[in-house]
Amino acid sequence: MTDFVIPAPQIPAIPVSGGGNFPVRRVYCIGRNYEAHAAEMGHDPNREPPFFFQKNPDNLDPSGEFPYPPRSSDVHHEVELLIALKSGGTNIPLAEALDHVWGYAVALDMTRRDLQAEAKKLGRPWEIGKAFERSAPVAPLVPVSRVGVLDSGRIELTVNGTLRQEGDLRQMIWKVPEMIASLSEYFELRAGDVILSGTPAGVGAVVRGDSMEATIEGLESLVVRVV
């Protein structure tokens, strides 16, 4: 009998603008980080302690296609700034947080909204609505050395050419250094960790055949077709 050999898993990675890849270790997501989006989802838009959940690293998908997922009839787009870390640690001081950033990218946090709503109602975790296959389309990563620190800039998403979401990064309740410092109080951050930093108002459903274009000022745009 031949012994079964488990193949070594591939390390998920994000393509880098200009060439190369950025290996990903973990994906942290912050929820309710824009006041208008918190309000449209029925939550208090005032500043509250940051709320984090995780996607899986292999949910990140640079292919330009989003397969409509099973067990859902209400899948929503959420355009977000992705922050990639080159280093980490625990209890990172706020003043040192940006020293750990390698680069930024445009990403989508696609959400099975009906399944998420059901989980919320039952007081259960959100993963069934958030962490499904190819649920995080992503554009090429742009290094800080090219784009600088991103603390402002227009963020928007169109579906079939119609504007759905718009805002500015300065509207984030918790800024990039605060997210990094806060996360490091609960987790040991490391190189390869990425953070999805929340979405502005205007989230909505997509259907097969839709074309989404997500942009953030200074970064490469992301065009994704729903299939």
Side-chain angles (χ1 to χ4, degrees):
M1 178 183 292
T2 302
D3 292 336
F4 177 71
V5 177
I6 300 175
Q10 291 187 333
I11 298 176
I14 304 172
V16 174
S17 176
N21 291 287
F22 181 90
V24 177
R25 174 178 174 263
R26 288 182 181 172
V27 180
Y28 297 99
C29 307
I30 184 170
R32 307 168 193 163
N33 200 29
Y34 287 76
E35 291 183 6
H37 174 60
E40 77 176 346
M41 298 304 293
H43 299 285
D44 186 346
N46 295 321
R47 184 177 169 108
E48 59 181 0
F51 170 74
F52 294 102
F53 59 93
Q54 291 189 35
K55 284 182 178 280
N56 300 313
D58 62 0
N59 292 161
L60 294 165
D61 181 15
S63 72
E65 290 190 343
F66 171 70
Y68 200 93
R71 307 290 295 179
S72 177
S73 59
D74 190 25
V75 178
H76 284 204
H77 55 75
E78 298 187 8
V79 57
E80 311 209 1
L81 172 69
L82 180 147
I83 303 115
L85 304 185
K86 63 182 179 182
S87 56
T90 58
N91 297 311
I92 296 171
L94 186 62
E96 299 175 9
L98 287 177
D99 295 339
H100 299 278
V101 176
W102 190 90
Y104 303 94
V106 179
L108 297 177
D109 173 18
M110 301 302 294
T111 302
R112 293 192 282 204
R113 191 71 73 200
D114 45 2
L115 300 188
Q116 182 196 32
E118 182 179 353
K120 287 181 178 180
K121 184 178 179 180
L122 297 173
R124 294 176 178 174
W126 293 6
E127 276 78 5
I128 196 168
K130 290 284 191 178
F132 56 93
E133 284 72 17
R134 300 174 70 175
S135 60
V138 62
L141 193 61
V142 180
V144 169
S145 59
R146 276 180 47 191
V147 74
V149 174
L150 285 186
D151 53 11
S152 64
R154 184 170 176 81
I155 175 173
E156 65 178 38
L157 180 136
T158 63
V159 177
N160 303 325
T162 299
L163 184 64
R164 290 272 191 93
Q165 292 184 263
E166 60 178 328
D168 195 284
L169 297 179
R170 65 168 60 92
Q171 296 170 336
M172 290 192 295
I173 299 170
W174 294 90
K175 312 304 183 187
V176 173
E178 294 173 314
M179 285 185 272
I180 295 170
S182 179
L183 268 171
S184 73
E185 295 177 5
Y186 299 96
F187 303 96
E188 181 182 359
L189 300 179
R190 295 184 183 177
D193 289 346
V194 303
I195 302 168
L196 293 178
S197 57
T199 194
V203 300
V206 294
V207 297
R208 290 182 177 88
D210 280 347
S211 178
M212 301 178 287
E213 182 171 7
T215 59
I216 296 176
E217 189 176 342
L219 299 178
E220 291 198 22
S221 62
L222 172 64
V223 177
V224 180
R225 183 169 178 81
V226 184
V227 297

